[in-house]
Amino acid sequence: MARGYDHQEIEKRAQEKWAQLDLYTTDLTNTEKDPYYLLFEFPYPSGDLHIGHWYAFAVTDIYARYLRMKGKNVLFPIGFDSFGLPAENAAMKNGADPKEWTYANMDRMRAQIKSMGTSVDWSKEIVTSDPEYYKWTQWLFAKLFEHNLAERREAPVKWCPKDQTVLANEQVVDGKCERCGTEVVEKRLTQWFMRITEYAERLLADLDALPWREDIKEAQRAWIGKKEGINIDYEVEGTGERIQCFTTRPDTNFGATFVVLAPEHPFVKLVATGALPSEHADEVAEYIGVASKKTERERQAEEKEKTGVFTGYCAINNLNGAKLPVWVSDFVLGGFGTGAVVGVPGHDLRDYDFAIAMGIPVVRVVVGPDMDSSPITRRSQVQEATGTMTNSEFLDGLDIHEATKRVMDHLEENGWGKRVVNYRIRDWLVSRQRYWGCPIPVVYDPEGTPHLVPSDHLPWLLPTDVDFTPTGNASGSPTGGKAPLASSKELHDRVTKIFGEGWTPEYDTLDTFVDSSWYFLRYLDPKDDHDFSDAAMMKKWLPVNRYSGGSEHTTMHLLYARFFHKALYDLALVPTPEPFNERFNRGIILGTDGQKMSKRWGNVVNPDEVVKEFGTDAVRLYLAFIGPYNEAGHYPWSLDGVSAMRRFLERVITLSEKLSNVGGRISHMDVPEEVSRMLAKAEAKSASDSERFKFNTALSALMVLVRDLEGLSEIPRAAYRDLVVMLAPFAPHLAEELWAKAGGEASVHQAMRPAYDAALLESDTVPLVVQVAGKRRGEVTLAPDASEDEAVEAALHIPAVTAALGGKNPSRRVYVPGKILNLVP
Ligand code: ANZ
C-alpha cells in the first residue's frame, strides 16, 4: 500500500455509509428539484472491467455527483447490453452455456463497478437478455412491423464467414467484419430490415438543431450521405431499351462520351444471356462472373486499374444526339443510384481513367479561371471546376451552378430526366443467424407468410435446447442451411402447439443494436410488465439531458437510436422527436507506449492492480486529469500520473492539520476575504469547466486552490469544508472521510456546492455581451484578457446563441475583449 492513508479502509467505510443512507436511488416522481437525466452507454458484459470501462463510468460519475451538489434530481442509471456474439463464441470454445457465462460476468462486473465508487442507481438496472426486458424489445419490433417499418425481403447482404452471420452495413469497416476483422463476402439472402431510409431526411434535418459537437454531426451527415441530382434517360439504339443514369453533375452532360453500367444492371444481363444479341456476349458474361467475387471496397478503390467490357450497344444523348457506347465496369456499384453512370471523362477522375484505359474520347465542357479550353492531355487537368460552361450549346457562358439548374429544367421539360435525391444510408439489416440474441417474434404459416406472435405470447422465449454451432448458412439462404435456433425441438413444438401443424418459427435473432435502441426508455420504469416504459415519466425525463459515450458509436448506435425513437414518436409512443439532447464522445486510453491497449502488445493496464496500490480516488482523479473529456482524444496511460494524483490527495489531507475554527462558508465574514477569494475562484472555474466535461481543468483549479491554502499559516475550518465539497465528485471516498473530520454532517455528497458572492471574482472577470448577427443573445463572465477562442467557446454554451446560429459554427466572429463578442452565422 502507498503511504499516507489507508485507502482500502476509507473506501469501505464510505461505501457502507452511502448504502446506509441510500444516497443514489433516484425518486423519479420528485417535483421539488429539477430533473436531470445523465446517461452513459451501458456496458456489454465481456468479463472483467478494463480501463476503458473505468474511463466511461468513473469520469461520467464525477458529473453525476457534481449535478446533485448543484441541487438537481439526477437520474444516473446502469444496465447491461447482455446479448451478443462473445457469449456464444465462449460457449463454442469452452463449452460454457452462453447464459451462464454472461450472467457470471455481470455479477463480477457489478462488484467491480461498485468498487469504483460510482453513484449509479442500481434499483433501475436493466439487462437486455432478461425475458422481462426483451418482451418489450419484441413488442416494439411488432409495432414497427405493423407500421411497415420492419420488413422481410431479399437483398444483397454482407456475410461474415467467420462469425457465420450477416452484418449491418455499419458493421463492415474497410470491407471487414467490425468484430473479428474477417473479410466479408456478399450474398443474396432474405433478411429482416428496419426501414431507416424512410427517416433519412429527418435524421439529417433534425441534426441541425441538436447541440452536439459539429464533428459528430458531420459524421452522421456523411453516413446518411444525401445527394441531390437527376436521373437522365438514354435510349439504347436499336433495342427499345432505356438506361437511366444518376448524376449529380448534369451541367457536364454535353461532355458525356460513354455510358457505363454495373455488372448487376438488368441491361447487362440481357446482353450476357443473349436476350439482346451481341458479339461481346461471352466477354460480358465472363466479366459479370469475375466482378461478383470482388468486394465493394475492391471495386471502389480509387487507385485501382479500371477494367470493363463493351456491350456492343450505343445510347443516345438527347441533349445533342451524341452516340454513347455502353460499357460495363465494376467501379459502378449496383446498389447506388440507378447502377448506371454517364461517363464524363473531362470532369470526373474515375471516368477519365476509364476513358483513357478504353480509348474513349475526352471532351472539356467547363473552363476555370486558370484553364484554357485546349484538349485534356493529363489526369491532373481533370479538375473539379468552379468554372464556366463551354462546348455546351445553350449552357455556354453560364457558371456551373446556373448551368446545373438550367439543364435540369430542360431535361425535365422534355421528359428526358427527373430530379431525385439519393442517400448513401441503407436500410438497417437486423436479423442475425446466431443464438444469443432476442428472438424475432414471428412465425410462418404453411404458405411461408410471416405473422407476428400475438402479444399475449410475449416474451417469446429463447429456447435452451439448442446446438450453438452454426452450420454455415443463413436460415433464409437458398442452400437451405440452418441458424442455431432451428435445432430446437422445444421451439418447434411450441409453434405447432400454439399455431398448428405446418407452422414454423423464425430462426433468426435480432441484432443487439435493436436492444440498445430503446434501453434509456426502460430505465424510467424498469419493472413494468404492462408497458415498455411509463408515459408520464417519459414526458418528465425525456429527452436525455446528456449522453456520454464512445466515438465508435456515432454512426451505429447513435443513428439507430435516433431512428428508433423517431419511429416511436410517429406512433405516439414517446413524447419527443429526439432521444438525446447533448452528446459527448469521450477519448480512448492508450497503453503506456502510446499504442492501442492489446494483449498482443503486452501493454494492457489492469485497473484492479492500480486501484489496489493507489486507491480508487487517485485513479479517478488521474482519468479526469488525463485530458478534456468532451473531446475524442487518445491519451497514453502513465503510472507516474496516478501516483502524482495520490500525492495531491495526500496534500489535501495534510492541509487538515492546520485548521482554525472559523465558521461559515465562502462568503462568511469570519473567513478572511483573501481566502474567500481563493475559494470563489476555484468554485467558479471548477464548476464552469465541469459543466463542459472539462474535468482536467476543473481539477487543476482545485490544485491551484490547494497550493494557495498551503501558503496560509491557518486554514478556516469552513474554507476547508468548501474545498472538500469541491473535491467530492472527483475523490468521493476520501472527501467523505475528510468531511467527517472537519465536522461536516451526514454525507458530503448531500452537501450543496459553495455559493459565493460574484463580487469576489470581480477583479478576475468581466461580463461579455454575446451577439449573434448583431442581436444580443446573452452574456458570459470571463477574464478581461480571455482569448477569442475562449470567448467563443463560452458563448457557444448559451442555448440562445446556439439556437440563433442554427446549431452551426459561426462563419465569422468579431471580438472586443471585455466588451462584446459578435458571431455571424
Ligand atoms: C456524371 C458526372 C460528371 C458525375 C462529373 C460526377 C462528376 P458523388 O460524385 O460522390 O456526389 N455515380 C452514380 N451512380 C453510381 C454508381 N452506381 N456507382 C458509382 N458511381 C456512381 O456521387 C454522384 C456521382 O457518382 C454521379 O455523378 C455519378 O457520376 C457517379 F463531372 O455523373 B456523376
Side-chain angles (χ1 to χ4, degrees):
M1 194 197 79
R3 64 185 182 89
Y5 66 97
D6 184 345
H7 53 261
Q8 280 170 348
E9 180 63 33
I10 285 175
E11 284 165 21
K12 189 162 161 277
R13 218 168 18 236
Q15 288 174 17
E16 279 168 9
K17 184 168 177 178
W18 304 337
Q20 216 171 31
L21 293 170
D22 190 21
L23 283 190
Y24 306 125
T25 304
T26 308
D27 174 7
L28 296 175
T29 61
N30 174 303
T31 50
E32 276 147 39
K33 299 178 181 176
D34 270 353
Y36 193 104
Y37 192 166
L38 177 64
L39 182 70
F40 60 86
E41 286 165 356
F42 64 161
Y44 175 77
S46 49
D48 287 304
L49 291 195
H50 53 71
I51 206 75
H53 288 119
W54 269 79
Y55 199 44
F57 312 155
V59 183
T60 312
D61 180 68
I62 294 172
Y63 194 57
R65 292 179 178 280
Y66 163 85
L67 288 170
R68 287 193 202 95
M69 295 179 127
K70 284 295 241 186
K72 304 275 192 219
N73 186 29
V74 181
L75 173 59
F76 187 49
I78 188 164
F80 289 96
D81 190 11
S82 51
F83 272 135
L85 261 187
E88 233 169 306
N89 290 341
M92 282 186 283
K93 204 162 142 212
N94 322 319
D97 179 274
K99 180 172 175 192
E100 272 168 31
W101 183 87
T102 305
Y103 283 71
N105 283 352
M106 280 192 281
D107 278 343
R108 229 181 18 257
M109 286 172 77
R110 282 190 193 99
Q112 288 174 316
I113 293 168
K114 284 177 187 163
S115 78
M116 282 180 194
T118 47
S119 59
V120 291
D121 180 352
W122 288 99
S123 75
K124 314 279 189 295
E125 184 192 339
I126 52 151
V127 173
T128 58
S129 56
D130 282 351
E132 297 75 28
Y133 182 90
Y134 72 66
K135 168 181 178 176
W136 296 107
T137 304
Q138 293 172 332
W139 188 85
L140 292 168
F141 174 90
K143 292 286 150 209
L144 297 185
F145 178 83
E146 283 165 4
H147 291 86
N148 298 324
L149 289 172
E151 68 179 20
R152 200 166 171 269
R153 66 172 128 93
E154 197 192 91
V157 299
K158 310 280 191 290
W159 171 266
C160 173
K162 173 142 184 290
D163 288 342
Q164 295 287 330
T165 182
V166 298
L167 301 169
N169 269 11
E170 293 78 0
Q171 290 164 331
V172 181
V173 178
D174 290 340
K176 300 198 168 99
C177 171
E178 177 232 6
R179 280 217 73 79
C180 68
T182 307
E183 192 90 25
V184 301
V185 295
E186 253 172 27
K187 288 196 178 194
R188 268 199 95 79
L189 295 175
T190 302
Q191 295 288 314
W192 286 95
F193 290 88
M194 294 226 183
R195 293 176 61 204
I196 192 169
T197 52
E198 282 283 300
Y199 283 75
E201 188 56 45
R202 276 162 69 192
L203 288 168
L204 186 68
D206 293 356
L207 275 176
D208 289 348
L210 286 177
W212 295 4
R213 286 179 63 97
E214 208 40 47
D215 56 339
I216 306 180
K217 294 197 206 183
E218 247 340 288
Q220 287 210 347
R221 287 191 189 111
W223 187 264
I224 296 166
K226 179 176 180 172
K227 296 225 160 114
E228 288 175 278
I230 187 164
N231 284 346
I232 305 182
D233 283 337
Y234 297 91
E235 220 157 284
V236 186
E237 236 181 358
T239 63
E241 295 290 331
R242 285 195 319 172
I243 291 172
Q244 255 192 355
C245 297
F246 171 68
T247 174
T248 49
R249 294 292 308 278
D251 55 314
T252 63
N253 214 248
F254 282 96
T257 53
F258 59 98
V259 162
V260 56
L261 307 177
E264 298 83 2
H265 195 280
F267 185 87
V268 179
K269 204 164 279 167
L270 294 180
V271 174
T273 56
L276 284 176
S278 166
E279 56 187 76
H280 304 277
D282 291 346
E283 265 177 89
V284 170
E286 192 185 325
Y287 190 79
I288 297 176
V290 174
S292 71
K293 295 203 182 63
K294 294 188 188 168
T295 64
E296 199 166 290
R297 189 171 62 122
E298 283 168 354
R299 287 173 51 167
Q300 287 257 286
E302 192 61 60
E303 66 289 356
K304 184 196 105 167
E305 204 177 302
K306 298 283 177 289
T307 59
V309 179
F310 178 47
T311 60
Y313 288 92
C314 281
I316 305 297
N317 188 351
N318 283 313
L319 286 178
N320 54 3
K323 278 192 184 189
L324 312 175
V326 178
W327 287 71
V328 46
S329 174
D330 62 8
F331 80 86
V332 180
L333 300 178
F336 178 71
T338 56
V341 170
V342 52
V344 184
H347 302 284
D348 181 274
L349 277 177
R350 284 189 306 181
D351 292 353
Y352 178 82
D353 292 340
F354 188 77
I356 294 302
M358 306 303 161
I360 299 171
V362 180
V363 176
R364 168 167 283 166
V365 289
V366 181
V367 280
D370 53 354
M371 292 159 76
D372 57 37
S373 54
S374 60
I376 297 164
T377 51
R378 286 198 317 273
R379 194 171 190 262
S380 61
Q381 291 177 306
V382 181
Q383 296 193 2
E384 185 39 55
T386 52
T388 310
M389 304 310 302
T390 182
N391 291 333
S392 297
E393 301 184 13
F394 65 94
L395 299 178
D396 282 355
L398 298 176
D399 78 69
I400 58 168
H401 305 290
E402 182 56 27
T404 301
K405 197 181 156 307
R406 250 333 153 80
V407 76
M408 282 191 177
D409 288 346
H410 182 78
L411 290 165
E412 286 198 324
E413 277 158 22
N414 285 287
W416 297 334
K418 190 156 177 23
R419 282 177 164 91
V420 284
V421 178
N422 274 315
Y423 297 91
R424 176 178 178 269
I425 192 170
R426 295 277 155 263
D427 276 339
W428 172 19
L429 204 184
V430 293
S431 41
R432 295 289 179 278
Q433 291 68 51
R434 298 305 303 243
Y435 170 67
W436 188 238
C438 174
I440 296 177
V442 163
V443 287
Y444 298 89
D445 64 23
E447 280 73 53
T449 308
H451 299 265
L452 285 174
V453 172
S455 59
D456 50 335
H457 288 293
L458 302 185
W460 187 245
L461 291 175
L462 187 64
T464 50
D465 60 333
V466 166
D467 172 10
F468 308 125
T469 328
T471 58
N473 283 295
S475 58
S477 107
T479 49
K482 292 279 155 68
L485 288 199
S487 67
S488 166
K489 183 170 179 310
E490 183 273 316
L491 182 62
H492 230 267
D493 293 348
R494 195 197 311 168
V495 169
T496 310
K497 192 164 156 238
I498 299 174
F499 301 94
E501 271 316 319
W503 287 65
T504 51
E506 167 64 62
Y507 298 129
D508 290 351
T509 52
L510 287 173
D511 180 10
T512 57
F513 278 114
V514 179
D515 309 333
S516 57
S517 284
W518 71 280
Y519 74 108
F520 47 92
L521 305 175
R522 188 66 181 168
Y523 282 143
L524 297 172
D525 196 12
K527 310 230 155 61
D528 191 341
D529 60 1
H530 299 291
D531 209 345
F532 71 98
S533 183
D534 180 284
M537 289 303 116
M538 286 195 281
K539 222 170 159 161
K540 177 171 167 154
W541 288 90
L542 293 179
V544 167
N545 292 74
R546 186 175 285 186
Y547 193 12
S548 170
S551 55
E552 70 277 20
H553 289 306
T554 301
T555 49
M556 293 201 273
H557 165 60
L558 220 45
L559 207 47
Y560 295 144
R562 289 185 63 221
F563 152 67
F564 212 84
H565 202 79
K566 284 184 185 303
L568 299 188
Y569 177 70
D570 289 349
L571 303 180
L573 291 171
V574 298
T576 59
E578 287 286 335
F580 317 120
N581 187 34
E582 287 180 293
R583 164 76 187 191
F584 284 100
N585 281 357
R586 69 169 176 276
I588 295 170
I589 309 284
L590 304 174
T592 47
D593 52 1
Q595 298 219 62
K596 205 173 163 187
M597 280 192 200
S598 157
K599 282 192 193 124
R600 189 146 51 119
W601 311 125
N603 62 355
V604 177
V605 174
N606 179 348
D608 292 352
E609 285 164 22
V610 190
V611 167
K612 203 161 152 221
E613 184 174 355
F614 296 98
T616 294
D617 289 341
V619 174
R620 289 173 60 112
L621 252 66
Y622 174 69
L623 291 171
F625 202 63
I626 202 166
Y629 199 58
N630 62 342
E631 291 169 21
H634 291 73
Y635 309 117
W637 173 266
S638 138
L639 263 192
D640 291 346
V642 183
S643 82
M645 292 301 135
R646 169 80 188 199
R647 284 196 301 280
F648 168 69
L649 291 175
E650 284 162 3
R651 280 165 58 199
V652 178
I653 301 175
T654 309
L655 275 183
S656 71
E657 286 160 14
K658 40 180 190 176
L659 297 195
S660 78
N661 264 330
V662 179
R665 301 282 292 265
I666 286 185
S667 307
H668 195 277
M669 297 193 338
D670 295 342
V671 175
E673 190 179 314
E674 176 204 8
V675 179
S676 293
R677 241 180 234 292
M678 291 174 189
L679 291 164
K681 224 166 103 179
E683 168 60 16
K685 178 138 180 75
S686 72
S688 76
D689 288 353
S690 294
E691 288 288 358
R692 288 174 290 143
F693 268 18
K694 285 194 182 287
F695 302 113
N696 55 334
T697 49
L699 188 54
S700 61
L702 301 187
M703 292 175 174
V704 170
L705 174 62
V706 167
R707 190 200 60 205
D708 288 351
L709 292 176
E710 281 170 340
L712 303 175
S713 54
E714 217 175 40
I715 299 168
R717 182 173 299 270
Y720 189 71
R721 284 216 288 256
D722 283 341
L723 164 65
V724 170
V725 166
M726 290 186 255
L727 188 65
F730 296 91
H733 307 92
L734 182 63
E736 194 67 282
E737 189 77 8
L738 297 175
W739 174 255
K741 270 208 181 129
E745 278 163 27
S747 166
V748 66
H749 300 289
Q750 291 168 303
M752 290 296 110
R753 290 188 75 97
Y756 55 84
D757 184 347
L760 288 168
L761 297 173
E762 241 159 39
S763 56
D764 291 325
T765 58
V766 289
L768 177 76
V769 171
V770 182
Q771 297 183 333
V772 176
K775 202 159 171 240
R776 191 180 194 283
R777 296 289 181 182
E779 201 177 283
V780 289
T781 310
L782 280 180
D785 58 350
S787 72
E788 181 173 304
D789 283 347
E790 282 171 337
V792 172
E793 171 147 28
L796 290 180
H797 278 85
I798 305 175
V801 170
T802 40
L805 288 168
K808 303 231 163 69
N809 276 330
S811 67
R812 220 154 45 78
R813 353 141 122 189
V814 183
Y815 177 50
V816 187
K819 294 212 166 59
I820 198 164
L821 172 70
N822 185 22
L823 302 174
V824 183

